[in-house]
Amino acid sequence: MTEFFISTPIYYVNDAPHLGHAYSMINADAFARWHRGLGDEVYFLTGTDEHGQKVADSAARNDMSVQAWTDTYAERFKAAWEALRIDYDDFIRTTEERHTKAVQKFLQAIYDRGYIYKGMYRGTYCVSCEAYYTANDAPDGNCPVHKRPLIEMEEENYFFRLSAFQEALIEWYDRDPDAVFPDFRRNEAYSFIKGGLEDISISRTSIDWGIPLPWDERHVCYVWFDALINYVTATGYAEDFERFSRLWRHSHHLIGKDIIRFHCVWWPAMLMAAGLEPPSKLLVHGWLLVKGEKMAKSGGNGVDPIELVGTYGTDAVRYYLLREHALGADGDFSLEALEHRYNVELANNIGNLLSRVTNVVARSLGGVAPAYTGRAIAAERIEPHVARAQDGWNGFATAQALEEVQAMVRLANAVLEERAPWKAADPAEAAEPLGDALEILRLVAVLVAPVLTEASAKILAAIGIDPASVKGSYTEALGVGQYAGGASISKAAPLFPRLEATGA
Ligand code: MSP
């Protein structure tokens, strides 16, 4: 059995979740579902990032204790993930005791190995990013991301000797060229490392909302250091090292492009400093944009995932986000584009195939499903699509996987148009194209299962297959030509009813 550990970033609880956050979650959930379908032992981790000044400030502005504030917001994230059918295995909150333990153990290990020293930090900080900026990063004194003035800081801090890891990081990147996906993101991290690394401040004395350093309780751990460590906390670093080691070899961190430096530079160096291996893969996605601007709360353009799911359904929202943009690139979000995908690919293509096949089997073949024969659609015409769709899922190329599914459905619809089984005088003549189209529906249902969680099960049930029977054995199930026929089939209800005009 192969392990597959996938994580998302842990989200700041300073505001409600929007579709930009959901983008990471839906991708991670689809990868987790694909690997569960293959029979892998999957561990899918997400959670909330609850320490730091930004969260403490948000609570204060709203007159709430920080703990009560984080409790409320952690629940809001969970509710959004439930609406999107995100099936995570673990939800970590950085205010949990298990995390304090792991952070302290991790920090102590780095400290004992000589990679932490005390110094004076003088410089500038952006609370919204929770990041320190040098004059190089921000020559005009404004945060390069938020365009607002940085705050001046001067305090005694502990520092992590990041500079000591430049060579080791370069070696790691050279040894494992696929560690960061896609390539252009890898190159970004690589050139940043090549450009020289400065040590980083890892503690604060001016705030107390954080995890105390084990050797000096006057300091709390800097929120990014604390946050990154969640990945080892949850896998058992402090409490079950054997489990940690087993999962760690299969770790995949899915992150947005804005947090590359933390994950692709700091985090592997932190792990090396603690005597651990770097993560096995970092998957970097782009941003969801609205009219060219990053979707963000501060931009006032955040789309509420729960509302969107209320209008279009969970499957449609998940499908649109994975289908529209390749992982890695930025991509515009618009309701017009969502509706277009829905109408063309879900309703008219997949939905229509299921309706017409079940309808004609019910009417012309007495509701008894014909078997696949390959006489209308030879296996060789289907197999390349199935192979490329599998490659897409295995290689984090979701848009490719879904394009191949569309191509298979177009093929089946075209053959049905050509052979017109609804006009056939002889049932045997109708059976051939219908049996082959049923096989395509079977394969499609498996290939879309990571995205269309409801529709996949509905397709399988409509063609007489128990969805539970394929779970854990996708590789076998994706062998072309298995549809045996014989099931009793009735006309299926529309999978994707046509949308009422929303005026979008
Ligand atoms: N708390 C840190 C992550 C710590 S991980 C150890 C953080 N939180 S965040 O809430 O600001 O962002 C979480 C993730 O959401 C990031 O990967 C970020 O890229 C992603 N997104 C936020 N807005 C986004 C879009 N508009 N589009 C796509 N993803 C975006 O950073």
Side-chain angles (χ1 to χ4, degrees):
M1 164 148 338
T2 316
E3 281 91 356
F4 182 74
F5 165 32
I6 181 126
S7 63
T8 70
I10 50 173
Y11 302 90
Y12 287 128
V13 285
N14 64 315
D15 195 38
H18 58 68
L19 206 63
H21 302 126
Y23 184 64
S24 291
M25 292 301 281
I26 293 170
N27 271 287
D29 184 59
F31 300 140
R33 285 175 188 267
W34 172 251
H35 281 271
R36 281 190 204 113
L38 293 177
D40 293 349
E41 191 200 322
V42 170
Y43 177 60
F44 170 16
L45 172 69
T46 188
T48 38
D49 190 354
E50 304 191 353
H51 288 129
Q53 193 167 345
K54 170 151 88 170
V55 170
D57 288 353
S58 298
R61 268 199 305 277
N62 289 278
D63 246 351
M64 273 172 89
S65 77
V66 202
Q67 191 62 61
W69 172 266
T70 60
D71 289 347
T72 309
Y73 275 88
E75 286 310 314
R76 290 185 74 167
F77 276 89
K78 286 184 180 169
W81 305 154
E82 198 182 323
L84 289 164
R85 299 250 150 78
I86 307 293
D87 191 10
Y88 51 79
D89 296 299
D90 195 354
F91 190 102
I92 187 167
R93 299 182 54 189
T94 53
T95 47
E96 286 172 64
E97 179 58 28
R98 61 172 169 158
H99 186 56
T100 303
K101 264 197 203 156
V103 168
Q104 293 189 332
K105 176 175 169 182
F106 193 94
L107 289 174
Q108 190 70 52
I110 304 184
Y111 186 68
D112 292 345
R113 294 161 67 97
Y115 295 116
I116 289 179
Y117 62 92
K118 197 193 266 188
M120 201 60 190
Y121 180 79
R122 276 188 208 88
T124 50
Y125 192 77
C126 171
V127 177
S128 295
C129 297
E130 294 280 18
Y132 299 90
Y133 284 106
T134 63
N136 266 349
D137 305 320
D140 61 355
N142 285 327
C143 167
V145 179
H146 296 91
K147 319 282 180 224
R148 286 194 292 264
L150 295 164
I151 55 169
E152 296 286 337
M153 269 183 43
E154 177 166 354
E155 60 176 44
E156 182 190 273
N157 281 179
Y158 285 93
F159 285 80
F160 170 55
R161 238 179 257 289
L162 181 65
S163 57
F165 291 90
Q166 183 174 11
E167 282 314 307
L169 285 170
I170 290 173
E171 253 170 51
W172 174 56
Y173 272 82
D174 288 341
R175 199 171 59 238
D176 193 354
D178 297 328
V180 177
F181 173 90
D183 262 1
F184 69 102
R185 298 292 182 206
R186 171 195 182 272
N187 298 342
E188 209 176 305
Y190 193 76
S191 36
F192 180 77
I193 297 166
K194 282 266 184 184
L197 298 176
E198 284 178 28
D199 293 347
I200 47 182
S201 159
I202 61 148
S203 73
R204 303 285 304 271
T205 47
S206 52
I207 62 168
D208 58 7
W209 181 243
I211 298 178
L213 301 187
W215 63 90
D216 186 347
E217 302 239 321
R218 292 175 303 124
H219 290 247
V220 296
C221 182
Y222 165 47
V223 62
W224 261 104
F225 242 62
D226 157 349
L228 288 161
I229 296 170
N230 93 83
Y231 303 127
V232 301
T233 304
T235 38
Y237 169 71
E239 283 162 347
D240 183 351
F241 199 79
E242 190 274 321
R243 173 172 178 264
F244 162 73
S245 310
R246 197 161 43 80
L247 286 171
W248 197 247
R249 282 196 291 278
H250 307 280
S251 49
H252 295 72
H253 298 319
L254 180 67
I255 60 163
K257 67 174 189 180
D258 48 333
I259 53 179
I260 286 188
R261 203 183 283 194
F262 302 105
H263 282 83
C264 303
V265 182
W266 293 18
W267 181 226
M270 288 164 65
L271 287 157
M272 290 175 191
L276 303 170
E277 288 295 315
S280 60
K281 202 159 188 83
L282 290 140
L283 303 164
V284 185
H285 65 72
W287 282 343
L288 218 54
L289 312 174
V290 181
K291 299 195 170 72
E293 295 290 320
K294 182 186 182 197
M295 186 185 288
K297 144 108 230 288
S298 53
N301 59 6
V303 173
D304 177 354
I306 298 184
E307 258 177 44
L308 201 65
V309 161
T311 312
Y312 297 97
T314 307
D315 274 2
V317 172
R318 292 171 60 104
Y319 182 84
Y320 165 69
L321 289 179
L322 297 187
R323 170 75 178 101
E324 189 84 358
H325 311 294
L327 193 85
D330 285 351
D332 255 307
F333 168 84
S334 78
L335 293 180
E336 289 88 336
L338 192 165
E339 293 187 359
H340 185 72
R341 291 276 177 205
Y342 182 101
N343 285 329
V344 173
E345 300 190 352
L346 298 179
N348 293 351
N349 210 24
I350 301 183
N352 192 23
L353 180 62
L354 181 71
S355 305
R356 70 206 312 200
V357 169
T358 54
N359 191 17
V360 185
V361 170
R363 262 193 5 227
S364 311
L365 301 181
V368 181
Y372 174 76
T373 60
R375 285 197 280 267
I377 313 176
E380 301 80 72
R381 294 173 74 190
I382 307 174
E383 276 157 357
H385 294 297
V386 174
R388 283 195 296 265
Q390 282 174 288
D391 288 349
W393 280 123
N394 287 326
F396 310 103
T398 52
Q400 173 189 321
L402 296 175
E403 170 49 34
E404 294 300 331
V405 165
Q406 288 299 327
M408 288 162 69
V409 178
R410 285 195 299 268
L411 172 64
N413 275 325
V415 169
L416 290 176
E417 289 294 332
E418 196 189 302
R419 304 273 298 249
W422 43 87
K423 289 193 199 146
D426 172 8
E429 204 187 308
E432 280 182 6
L434 290 170
D436 292 3
L438 280 159
E439 170 62 351
I440 288 198
L441 279 166
R442 185 187 72 82
L443 295 163
V444 162
V446 175
L447 288 169
V448 297
V451 192
L452 302 177
T453 63
E454 291 170 49
S456 162
K458 283 187 191 161
I459 297 172
L460 288 172
I463 64 170
I465 296 175
D466 174 5
S469 68
V470 292
K471 185 112 190 263
S473 53
Y474 281 4
T475 310
E476 297 72 33
L478 288 171
V480 176
Q482 298 175 38
Y483 192 72
S488 99
I489 284 185
S490 47
K491 181 175 172 8
L495 265 188
F496 296 101
R498 281 203 77 84
L499 292 172
E500 298 300 322
T502 61

